[in-house]
Amino acid sequence: MPARGALAALLTLLALACAPATAGAAGLETVLQDDAQLLHRPEDQLRRSLQEMKALGVDRIRVTAGWSVLTRDPDAKARPAFDATNPAAYEQERWRNLDRLVVLAREYGFKTMIDIAFWAPHWASQDAPGQRGRTEVDAEAFAQFTAAVARRYSGTFVIPRTSHHPSGDGPFGEGADARYLRRNFGTSSPDSGVTLLDALGIPAIARGGESAATLGDGAAATLPLPKVDLFTLWNEPNHPSFMRPQWARWGKGYVPRSPHVYRAMVYRGHAALKAVRPDAAVLVGGTSFEGTSGRRGTGGVPPLRFLRELACVDRRLQPIKRFGCSDFRPIPGDGWAHHPYTLRTKPNARARGARRDDVPIADLPRLAKLLDRLIAAGRLAPGVRNLWVTEYGYETNPPVEGWIFSPYDQARFLTWAEFLASRVPTNRSYAQFLLRDLPPGAFKVNTSKKRAFGQWQSGLLHDDGTPKVSVYSFRAGLFVQRRKNRRLLLWGRLRLGHGITTIAIERRAPGSRKWRTIFTQAPGQGPTDRFTVSGTDAFQRYADAPRRRASGYRYRLRYLDGDHWQSGLQVAAVGR
């Protein structure tokens, strides 16, 4: 708990300065995306979401710069006449929500990642009017929009004073936001009286957001928009919801088409972004975790096959020549983004047989290995070796009727998944999608596999703001795995803030209500009943397994400046 008063604060600083060496290591950067809450809610709700994310230990916000939302005349057949590389040439009102988030993200201490993504305007795709632009996307037009986004968030762009942005009820005022929410995300029920901040016992003084400056203030309107250091090029280009066609006729069968469309977008988009922002990092890929065989020319392209085709090689990594591969040059980038969902399985499920080119989270090492092999073969830029998990999550029942996992399953699985992600040396991040559930509407898993766009329930909070049990394990989670020779691996991830925390691991015997502290040890250290670790670290310890399997394990933690212990979620040990 936060120290109270000057004396308590001084004692805390002294305790931290004199604290023993900790037994942890820096955890993966934590990324969270929730466009519905962060782009399409009034400012007071946005601020509350940012406060909740700060309490959950999130490092970086991932947000979509929707091309068709931000550009001029997206439904026109002909491209409008304007300088699409210049952020000042756009209708500034359309950017209000994204600008507001980038400004407030900096105020609350978050880093930002912008997806320059779906969907294309009608004039930059081959889709019919009224349809989402995702078919044969115009790579040069995409590159021009990419340059505009990078310039806008370079740290030097000032919103033109002649615009009405961001105040007033322009085309993207509150009325338009409400219509957008109803169309894409449904309507949310009134908020519960129990908030995440209250449930975690975090007082208002520690919740951040003290600055009153907004983009509507006269002084703030003359300041440049903040700098964003990380961008991604498109979202899930191997999924038909975001890019088409995925497959094309070739002889008597079908071959992937989307990797070749995307390669042109990467070549042009990366060059355009680096020309105006050589200091920014650019991620490519953003791939979905699964695909189909393509025998019928339907569904998405599996991520490993998508990557090989993007690099113009076959399964043996031999060059191929179709769809522009004759002009191939190495794929540029500073990292590969991936969404390794395990929607209907536990985190340790692997891709097998006909699905061997899928990449759920347990198969991240296979993706990392393929990236390394393609770099060694000169098909990818060396920077693409950096792997970024930018989406992950588990839906729960409730609210999804008939779904296979409970909120308790979600709480256990998220820590388990992060453990697996942390085992990949080249991986840089772990992600949570979403903060809040989106209203499920009439969708029922047990009667239909179809759902409207935006119906997704993987949040750490219910749609009314009530916390799920996963908020507690997300802040301080424990994973226990049985190893050889009756040993246990104990892995934990803390998102409690920068103070030093004392940890004890407890075990409960089958049929017993009593918890007993177990002795743990790190490599090269003797056994101990407790150890200290930074509140932002991951830790790994080992212990002897009992002769009879325990019914559960949990952590107990105490801040060095606190006077009481807190207990965590009970988890069972899993097999190796």
Side-chain angles (χ1 to χ4, degrees):
M1 299 297 292
R4 293 176 175 84
L7 178 59
L10 178 59
L11 293 174
T12 298
L13 292 175
L14 290 173
L16 296 182
C18 301
T22 62
L28 295 171
E29 182 173 292
T30 304
V31 178
L32 189 145
Q33 181 175 15
D34 194 329
D35 285 359
Q37 297 300 320
L38 301 181
L39 287 180
H40 305 292
R41 294 289 191 267
E43 184 172 324
D44 61 336
Q45 294 184 33
L46 168 59
R47 283 184 176 273
R48 184 173 66 184
S49 293
L50 293 172
Q51 291 167 356
E52 291 169 339
M53 291 167 58
K54 180 62 67 174
L56 288 166
V58 172
D59 300 306
R60 187 183 294 272
I61 292 170
R62 177 175 179 248
V63 64
T64 305
W67 187 8
S68 62
V69 172
L70 301 174
T71 194
R72 285 185 173 272
D73 300 326
D75 296 325
K77 292 183 178 181
R79 183 187 183 280
F82 76 111
D83 182 1
T85 67
N86 182 3
Y90 289 76
E91 298 169 84
Q92 300 303 304
E93 290 87 351
R94 290 181 173 269
W95 296 74
R96 177 176 63 85
N97 290 354
L98 183 57
D99 289 346
R100 181 184 65 176
L101 174 60
V102 171
V103 168
L104 292 181
R106 181 181 65 175
E107 177 183 323
Y108 282 83
F110 296 106
K111 295 177 284 187
T112 303
M113 172 194 305
I114 292 182
D115 274 9
I116 305 172
F118 60 92
W119 283 276
H122 178 56
W123 45 263
S125 70
Q126 296 183 9
D127 295 281
Q131 295 182 353
R132 291 168 178 156
R134 50 191 163 178
T135 303
E136 298 288 353
V137 176
D138 185 320
E140 183 55 37
F142 173 70
Q144 293 174 5
F145 176 67
T146 295
V149 175
R151 278 196 172 108
R152 190 176 192 94
Y153 303 111
S154 62
T156 62
F157 178 77
V158 178
I159 299 167
R161 296 177 65 88
T162 56
S163 74
H164 297 294
H165 171 61
S167 59
D169 295 322
F172 275 66
E174 295 301 328
D177 283 347
R179 290 192 295 274
Y180 181 89
L181 287 170
R182 284 197 299 272
R183 181 171 68 252
N184 289 312
F185 299 110
T187 56
S188 180
S189 59
D191 282 354
S192 163
V194 180
T195 70
L196 179 149
L197 298 171
D198 294 330
L200 295 177
I202 298 175
I205 193 172
R207 297 182 184 187
E210 297 301 321
S211 171
T214 67
L215 287 174
D217 295 335
T222 64
L223 298 175
L225 290 169
K227 177 187 288 189
V228 173
D229 67 334
L230 185 60
F231 299 88
T232 59
L233 302 181
W234 212 251
N235 176 76
E236 298 192 357
N238 64 322
H239 195 292
S241 291
F242 302 102
M243 182 168 287
R244 294 181 180 177
Q246 287 289 311
W247 304 89
R249 270 285 187 184
W250 192 266
K252 296 182 179 180
Y254 292 88
V255 295
R257 172 62 182 155
S258 56
H260 305 280
V261 176
Y262 183 62
R263 186 171 58 254
M265 295 171 64
V266 169
Y267 282 157
R268 290 172 172 80
H270 182 273
L273 195 150
K274 288 291 188 177
V276 300
R277 289 290 310 283
D279 61 314
V282 182
L283 305 184
V284 298
T287 39
S288 169
F289 73 103
E290 66 176 351
T292 66
S293 66
R295 292 178 181 176
R296 299 180 180 179
T298 58
V301 178
L304 293 185
R305 186 169 185 185
F306 182 91
L307 175 54
R308 292 194 300 268
E309 290 274 343
L310 183 69
C312 287
V313 296
D314 60 18
R315 187 173 293 279
R316 296 176 298 170
L317 305 192
Q318 297 302 306
I320 58 176
K321 299 296 183 182
R322 57 176 173 261
F323 297 137
C325 283
S326 57
D327 297 326
F328 178 81
R329 60 186 186 276
I331 303 298
D334 301 301
W336 184 271
H338 184 61
H339 305 161
Y341 285 104
T342 44
L343 300 178
R344 297 173 178 83
T345 62
K346 295 178 181 179
N348 63 337
R350 306 287 298 274
R352 304 290 186 189
R355 307 300 298 269
R356 64 187 182 278
D357 281 337
D358 290 351
V359 183
I361 201 159
D363 280 317
L364 284 178
R366 296 174 59 227
L367 174 56
K369 181 179 179 180
L370 180 56
L371 291 171
D372 282 344
R373 292 182 66 194
L374 291 172
I375 290 169
R379 313 303 284 189
L380 304 178
V384 183
R385 183 173 188 261
N386 296 305
L387 187 58
W388 287 72
V389 173
T390 52
E391 273 190 37
Y392 192 75
Y394 273 95
E395 292 190 286
T396 64
N397 174 15
V400 186
E401 183 179 335
W403 192 242
I404 52 180
F405 295 127
S406 69
Y408 175 71
D409 292 326
Q410 178 196 43
R412 294 187 301 120
F413 291 171
L414 291 181
T415 306
W416 188 352
E418 187 169 5
F419 164 77
L420 295 172
S422 72
R423 302 296 91 181
V424 182
T426 56
N427 186 35
R428 303 289 178 252
S429 66
Y430 178 71
Q432 166 59 29
F433 185 88
L434 306 153
L435 175 63
R436 282 198 190 197
D437 287 344
L438 291 160
F443 171 62
K444 296 181 179 180
V445 169
N446 58 348
T447 60
S448 173
K449 293 184 179 180
K450 296 181 180 179
R451 68 177 87 194
F453 176 75
Q455 289 188 354
W456 201 256
Q457 289 78 43
S458 61
L460 302 177
L461 312 177
H462 292 285
D463 69 307
D464 65 355
T466 304
K468 297 181 184 178
V469 67
S470 55
V471 302
Y472 304 101
S473 64
F474 195 80
R475 293 187 80 230
L478 178 67
F479 170 72
V480 182
Q481 186 180 59
R482 293 187 295 274
R483 292 295 182 104
K484 293 180 180 180
N485 301 322
R486 294 185 51 241
R487 295 285 283 171
L488 293 173
L489 179 148
L490 306 139
W491 186 89
R493 175 68 161 97
L494 304 181
R495 296 184 177 89
L496 301 169
H498 291 281
I500 304 299
T501 303
T502 299
I503 300 285
I505 307 296
E506 296 183 324
R507 177 168 57 216
R508 188 167 68 177
S512 173
R513 295 184 179 181
K514 188 172 183 179
W515 290 91
R516 295 183 180 275
T517 300
I518 63 176
F519 281 81
T520 66
Q521 66 183 82
Q525 298 181 14
T528 180
D529 62 345
R530 63 186 64 180
F531 55 93
T532 58
V533 63
S534 167
T536 59
D537 278 358
F539 63 83
Q540 182 168 303
R541 310 287 288 188
Y542 293 89
D544 292 328
R547 294 187 179 279
R548 295 176 60 196
R549 289 188 180 182
S551 61
Y553 295 83
R554 72 179 185 184
Y555 66 79
R556 294 184 70 220
L557 64 86
R558 177 176 62 85
Y559 296 99
L560 286 189
D561 60 329
D563 56 2
H564 69 281
W565 291 81
Q566 302 175 26
S567 298
L569 183 74
Q570 175 179 326
V571 298
V574 304
R576 186 173 184 179

